[in-house]
Amino acid sequence: MRFRILGPMEIEGSAGPGVSYTPRAAKLRVVLGTLLVRGGEVVSVQALTDELWQDDPPRTATTTLQVYISQLRKQLNAAEDGFGRESLVTRQPGYVLRLEPDQLDLARFEALHARGRKALESGDFAQASALQRQAVELWRGPLLSDTPHGPALDAAAVRLDEAGVAALEQRIRADLELGRHRDLIAELQSVTTRYALREEFHGHLMLALFRSGRQAEALRVFTQLRHTLVEELAIEPGPALQRLHGRILAGDAGLLVDEAAPTGTVTVAQTRGRPVALPSADPAFTGRDTELARVVALLTSAPAGTCVAVAGMPGVGKTALAVEAAHRCADAFPDGRLFLDLEPEPGRPLTAAQALTRLLRRAGETGPLPEAVEDLRDALHVLLAGRRLLLVLDHAASEAQLRPLLPATEGCRALVTIRRTPASLAAVRTVTLAPLPPEAARALLTTASGRARPGATSGSSGPDDPGGSHGSDGSVRPRVAAGDAVVRRLVGHGRGAVGADDARRPAAEVATLCGGLPLALRSAAAQLAARPHWTLQTLADRLRDARDRLDALRVGELDVRDVLLTAYAAATAQQQRSFRLLALLPDAPFETGSAAAVLGLGAEAAGRGVESLVDVRLLEADESGRYRFHPLLRLLAVELLARHEPEDSARDAAGRLAEAYADTGPVPGGAATTPRTDLPALVGVLRTAHAHGAWPSALRLADALSGSLESHAAWPLWRTAHTLGLDAARRARDRAGEARMLRSLGDLAWQQRQLERCEELYESAVRAARGCADEHEHGRALVGLADVRLDAGAYDEAGVLLDIALGALPERSPARFDALRAGALLALDLGDAVTAVARFTACRELAVALRDRRLEAYARRCLRRLGESGVVAPAVEVRPGVWRLRGVAEAA
């Protein structure tokens, strides 16, 4: 069987290429296309439903989907006997299509593209060109061009379109390195017409023309692109293209020399005696002025042997900052600047010998090299002696990998990017990056989108533009007002006037949803660039659902989830487990005690565990000694918890957490001690314990929250918490707990004046308490029923219920207080002020004995009103903080 989806869907079966088995029905192609795009992954029923019908599924959607799956199996069986039955498999919560890699053109494309990229990075340009050419030739049109697209196929189409363009760009780049510039000119002229705003293709065309002796035409390409960008987007070409333009204008012969480009796009030059192998500076670099100044100062003024490290979590922009600093430091290192990726393939860092060999080759060593690490290190030191050269070492995996690479000679420096602070290297000066603050994050988002740069003006022409101000690097910082106008266009997209605040709001929301992480912001910006019909509000809407956010932050080669996973994959097994389990905590800063409960460790061991997660950049710590997840890392932890943590382990951890919060909360049935602002998080802990099946612990926490929920009148949270508690009690077969939750929900319904509902709940509570012989809870439920009878004016029935309750309740309990309170109210309704005073007095004495100041204050208020007026007031406080109006005649 062969499947082709890079273009219209095609299925080739056992009969050979002449017979097509592609489903004619569009819905069947949608289902099959979604399964193929997610090949080897389980695609949930919900995801397939969304893909088929988006926001308007029919009532019979699940059944209809089952029919579609059955039809697909039959059609695949017809293509190859038994294929549908064996390969299209039901797996909770949906279906998976299992294929060999060579059966799907998409899988072949991704494999060829990845191999080609590695070959390009290693300098094997002939192999890179051949592999990327094969990858590009697999495309016959847009992804599944004959199939309707829902959200999943839409996202995949964007991602794969970017990957296809990247493969084409890398093939052209490799061909340029092989000296095929004359053969590329015609193709590049066509490509730049198709991708009119892609600067890298214009740069390649300029370089090909210049190398072919057509300098004037190369300059004309730049002029035409600049005109397009200024007219349509009010922006200038990026710094990389401007530098190339300057070199071509000057007739720089260095461009005629074969060059190595590990990751750059346009200009990477190497001339004899002064090697420069740096990626192009990022035109969207922004928001790091303080950190950049610190790195540059350390590189240019630190003592000999000093290493400068840029540390931080994955995706925080370490490489971009290092490259920018290296470009800024050109004058300080006249003998060259070399860039080396120490982990070119995720999870497979270079050995010290491999890294030293590559550095020596890039530094100009052409002879045979030794094999031993010590000999290679000595060779590097000899080569660097007497030179002023900067080594940029990207993605360092460990101190051990770095140690033999660091130059010790006067004038040479190393600039390293690494996740964790290299504490064991004494000569290291570390600059740690945090996610961008809101304003800088918004600026990066709008700049990197390719549609707008904050502050870009329509007519800015460089340093002479009177509307701009100059940055420290000579760049122009244009008018703020013009930037606001561009952002307004990006947000409103031509649909009428949009105010500056309205324009900033969706950009700020996207920046917040990305957690200020530069990689996530770039991924979001790439989607805006690829989708001209999207606005920032469109993107914000797509990112808002936390469950799909990491999927939504994947486009082309930018995959936020994959980058975050690199830190997780590098952690130890114990760190990985701790990272997963800590996702059970509320989404808020937490202390060591909470971590200890989740991890099932003592406080000291838990403290060491969370600190180790901070070291590997999976957690953040603040100055107050609390810890928290970066928002996107938390989403990853939640995914990994559901995917990899055993069910019993997650249940036990959620139960321990709920028990810990129950232990620190108020006594069940007592007064509130929990601040109102903490209640949502605690109810979240209860919800988590319930979701993972920790029924007794969930019930215990629900009990512990009762007093606080009632005292703060937190009605929605009260309903949520005790509905979950009721379900937990029933699942745990705890009849007493069931009675407590029913009675509490009855109290809530009574306060909300849902009298019919509360009567049903109280009666159910009476039955549950009677069934487990719980006299105390039986009495409390009877008091609730008595309150309902009092509201209805059924005084005799209320009196009987209260007599039974008082006979069942202990002498010293809050429940007896409630019975006495209701008895006092009954006396008031019957006009017996003396009995009312006696019962309120008994309430006060009981509250004092219980040390419950809230109930004591209530009793004293009631006694004071009776004593002051001598008559019953029109408004009566029937429960603490709950008032009831009485009729005038009744009050008299």
Side-chain angles (χ1 to χ4, degrees):
M1 289 287 288
R2 294 288 185 272
F3 296 86
R4 287 185 282 273
I5 60 175
L6 300 180
M9 180 182 290
E10 292 182 0
I11 302 175
E12 178 184 319
S14 56
V19 181
S20 173
Y21 295 95
T22 305
R24 294 184 179 180
K27 295 291 188 184
L28 292 183
R29 292 200 302 275
V30 170
V31 175
L32 181 56
T34 305
L35 292 168
L36 287 168
V37 166
R38 298 274 296 276
E41 298 180 25
V42 176
V43 183
S44 69
V45 169
Q46 184 60 55
L48 289 169
T49 301
D50 291 344
E51 195 68 19
L52 285 163
W53 296 287
Q54 286 79 53
D55 297 327
D56 189 27
R59 183 175 53 83
T60 59
T62 301
T63 303
T64 303
L65 177 59
Q66 291 171 349
V67 172
Y68 290 163
I69 293 292
S70 176
Q71 291 175 349
L72 278 177
R73 284 196 179 111
K74 291 178 182 178
Q75 192 141 359
L76 295 176
N77 285 335
E80 184 175 309
D81 188 36
F83 184 86
R85 181 175 61 256
E86 295 170 1
S87 299
L88 181 48
V89 182
T90 302
R91 287 286 183 272
Q92 289 300 323
Y95 305 93
V96 60
L97 182 59
R98 300 184 300 200
L99 300 176
E100 295 298 326
D102 63 345
Q103 291 182 297
L104 179 63
D105 61 350
L106 171 57
R108 295 199 301 278
F109 164 77
E110 291 178 327
L112 288 166
H113 181 32
R115 289 172 57 201
R117 182 171 61 250
K118 291 173 191 173
L120 187 65
E121 290 169 352
S122 65
D124 189 346
F125 302 119
Q127 181 76 349
S129 173
L131 290 169
Q132 297 292 15
R133 188 179 301 276
Q134 292 176 53
V136 171
E137 287 173 353
L138 288 172
W139 286 84
R140 298 168 292 110
L143 178 76
L144 290 167
S145 55
D146 61 344
T147 301
H149 287 200
L153 291 181
D154 235 0
V158 174
R159 174 177 67 85
L160 292 169
D161 181 65
E162 283 294 312
V165 174
L168 175 63
E169 188 275 329
Q170 290 169 23
R171 196 226 82 212
I172 292 172
R173 185 162 16 130
D175 284 345
L176 278 172
E177 297 293 348
L178 294 168
R180 298 171 178 168
H181 38 270
R182 295 185 186 278
D183 298 333
L184 286 170
I185 291 174
E187 180 184 9
L188 279 168
Q189 287 171 336
S190 173
V191 169
T192 52
T193 301
R194 181 179 178 188
Y195 301 106
L197 300 181
R198 302 290 290 245
E199 294 187 17
E200 64 268 41
F201 289 125
H202 289 80
H204 293 330
L205 177 56
M206 291 166 63
L207 193 57
L209 288 166
F210 178 71
R211 287 181 177 176
S212 301
R214 298 159 67 174
Q215 180 182 15
E217 292 176 65
L219 295 173
R220 188 180 300 117
V221 170
F222 178 86
T223 302
Q224 291 171 344
L225 174 64
R226 181 181 179 277
H227 176 77
T228 300
L229 293 176
V230 169
E231 286 296 315
E232 295 188 13
L233 302 174
I235 63 173
E236 291 285 339
L241 205 64
Q242 292 190 29
R243 282 194 293 271
L244 178 62
H245 174 257
R247 294 181 68 182
I248 291 175
L249 192 64
D252 188 348
L255 292 175
L256 302 176
V257 179
D258 289 342
E259 300 166 341
T263 56
T265 56
V266 176
T267 61
V268 177
Q270 178 174 310
T271 58
R272 296 184 184 277
R274 189 178 185 273
V276 178
L278 282 177
S280 300
D282 183 357
F285 183 83
T286 187
R288 297 291 192 194
D289 292 347
T290 301
E291 297 93 335
L292 180 61
R294 173 70 173 154
V295 170
V296 170
L298 287 171
L299 288 173
T300 54
S301 62
T306 299
C307 167
V308 180
V310 180
M313 66 176 287
V316 80
K318 302 183 291 295
T319 301
L321 178 70
V323 170
E324 186 71 21
H327 280 284
R328 298 284 182 97
C329 291
D331 293 341
F333 300 100
D335 293 318
R337 292 156 291 150
L338 299 178
F339 180 95
L340 178 62
D341 189 345
L342 295 177
E343 191 175 345
E345 185 176 346
R348 299 183 64 181
L350 299 179
T351 65
Q354 289 172 326
L356 285 165
T357 299
R358 295 190 186 194
L359 279 176
L360 285 163
R361 292 302 186 200
R362 292 182 185 183
E365 183 59 63
T366 58
L369 295 176
E371 295 182 1
V373 171
E374 295 78 6
D375 295 335
L376 287 166
R377 182 179 59 198
D378 292 343
L380 180 64
H381 290 168
V382 169
L383 188 64
L384 297 181
R387 303 171 75 177
R388 295 172 62 189
L389 187 139
L390 175 65
L391 303 181
V392 183
L393 305 175
D394 196 27
H395 296 134
S398 65
E399 289 93 329
Q401 183 194 36
L402 272 178
R403 193 172 284 108
L405 308 179
L406 301 181
T409 56
E410 181 70 32
C412 291
R413 298 285 186 275
L415 175 56
V416 177
T417 71
I418 190 169
R419 277 195 295 272
R420 60 187 300 170
T421 302
S424 67
L425 298 177
V428 172
R429 302 292 182 268
T430 303
V431 176
T432 302
L433 299 187
L436 290 170
E439 195 62 27
R442 187 177 71 88
L444 175 58
L445 174 68
T446 53
T447 302
S449 68
R451 298 194 219 168
R453 274 188 238 156
T457 61
S458 173
S460 67
S461 57
D464 296 329
D465 178 15
S469 61
H470 297 285
S472 59
D473 60 346
S475 62
V476 178
R477 306 282 177 85
R479 304 179 184 89
V480 174
D484 288 342
V486 173
V487 174
R488 283 197 295 272
R489 286 200 299 276
L490 180 60
V491 176
H493 205 59
R495 290 192 300 246
V498 181
D501 290 341
D502 292 334
R504 286 192 175 94
R505 193 172 297 118
E509 183 181 3
V510 171
T512 299
L513 292 171
C514 290
L517 191 68
L519 178 70
L521 293 164
R522 290 177 185 278
S523 178
Q527 297 194 53
L528 289 174
R531 299 287 182 83
H533 57 287
W534 279 16
T535 67
L536 277 163
Q537 189 60 58
T538 307
L539 187 58
D541 293 341
R542 288 177 177 261
L543 293 176
R544 203 169 289 128
D545 189 340
R547 295 169 299 179
D548 299 328
R549 191 174 307 155
L550 290 178
D551 284 329
L553 288 172
R554 179 175 61 187
V555 56
E557 295 184 355
L558 286 176
D559 191 332
V560 174
R561 180 189 282 104
D562 280 355
V563 173
L564 296 180
L565 276 170
T566 60
Y568 175 79
T572 65
Q574 182 57 49
Q575 288 171 332
Q576 290 178 351
R577 180 173 184 271
S578 298
F579 177 71
R580 296 193 300 266
L581 290 179
L582 289 173
L584 294 167
L585 290 168
D587 187 9
F590 61 88
E591 297 179 347
T592 305
S594 300
V598 168
L599 301 177
L601 300 172
E604 187 174 344
R608 290 194 300 269
V610 293
E611 282 295 336
S612 75
L613 290 177
V614 173
D615 289 341
V616 297
R617 307 296 176 183
L618 289 174
L619 279 183
E620 300 171 352
D622 61 30
E623 295 177 354
S624 68
R626 298 191 299 173
Y627 305 89
R628 72 174 304 149
F629 284 100
H630 182 275
L632 298 181
L633 277 172
R634 177 179 173 78
L635 296 182
L636 179 66
V638 169
E639 283 187 4
L640 294 171
L641 176 76
R643 192 179 307 156
H644 297 304
E645 192 64 23
E647 185 178 341
D648 58 344
S649 173
R651 181 184 64 245
D652 293 346
R656 288 193 299 268
L657 182 63
E659 294 281 352
Y661 278 115
D663 287 340
T664 58
V667 176
T673 60
T674 303
R676 184 183 183 92
T677 53
D678 291 348
L679 288 176
L682 291 174
V683 174
V685 172
L686 169 58
R687 184 183 288 109
T688 298
H690 179 274
H692 287 279
W695 315 123
S697 302
L699 175 59
R700 184 159 177 257
L701 181 55
D703 274 328
L705 291 173
S706 297
S708 297
L709 293 167
E710 182 175 1
S711 299
H712 291 303
W715 289 356
L717 291 174
W718 185 351
R719 179 181 298 105
T720 297
H722 284 189
T723 300
L724 291 171
L726 175 61
D727 184 67
R730 287 171 171 165
R731 291 175 181 267
R733 298 183 180 179
D734 185 336
R735 293 285 283 172
E738 182 181 355
R740 292 193 301 275
M741 294 297 103
L742 285 166
R743 188 263 312 154
S744 175
L745 290 169
D747 290 346
L748 173 61
W750 183 85
Q751 289 201 23
Q752 294 179 304
R753 311 312 293 156
Q754 298 170 356
L755 299 182
E756 184 176 343
R757 171 66 175 154
C758 77
E759 186 172 10
E760 293 174 358
L761 289 164
Y762 284 140
E763 288 174 347
S764 297
V766 167
R767 288 192 296 272
R770 190 183 296 128
C772 64
D774 187 334
E775 294 285 332
H776 178 266
E777 201 56 47
H778 182 244
R780 294 195 71 176
L782 290 174
V783 173
L785 280 175
D787 277 325
V788 177
R789 299 293 185 267
L790 282 175
D791 281 329
Y795 302 130
D796 291 341
E797 292 180 37
V800 171
L801 291 170
L802 290 173
D803 288 342
I804 298 172
L806 285 168
L809 292 169
E811 288 296 326
R812 292 182 59 175
S813 70
R816 190 170 188 86
F817 179 97
D818 263 345
L820 291 169
R821 170 197 56 79
L825 294 173
L826 174 60
L828 286 178
D829 283 343
L830 295 174
D832 186 352
V834 174
T835 300
V837 169
R839 289 179 176 171
F840 278 132
T841 301
C843 284
R844 182 192 62 196
E845 294 170 353
L846 180 54
V848 171
L850 294 171
R851 297 182 180 179
D852 191 324
R853 294 183 178 180
R854 173 171 165 268
L855 296 182
E856 181 185 351
Y858 166 75
R860 290 186 182 279
R861 288 195 300 272
C862 292
L863 286 169
R864 185 167 58 250
R865 291 191 189 92
L866 281 172
E868 289 174 353
S869 63
V871 296
V872 180
V876 177
E877 189 177 8
V878 293
R879 291 187 188 181
V882 181
W883 293 78
R884 184 180 71 192
L885 290 175
R886 297 157 50 88
V888 176
E890 181 185 356

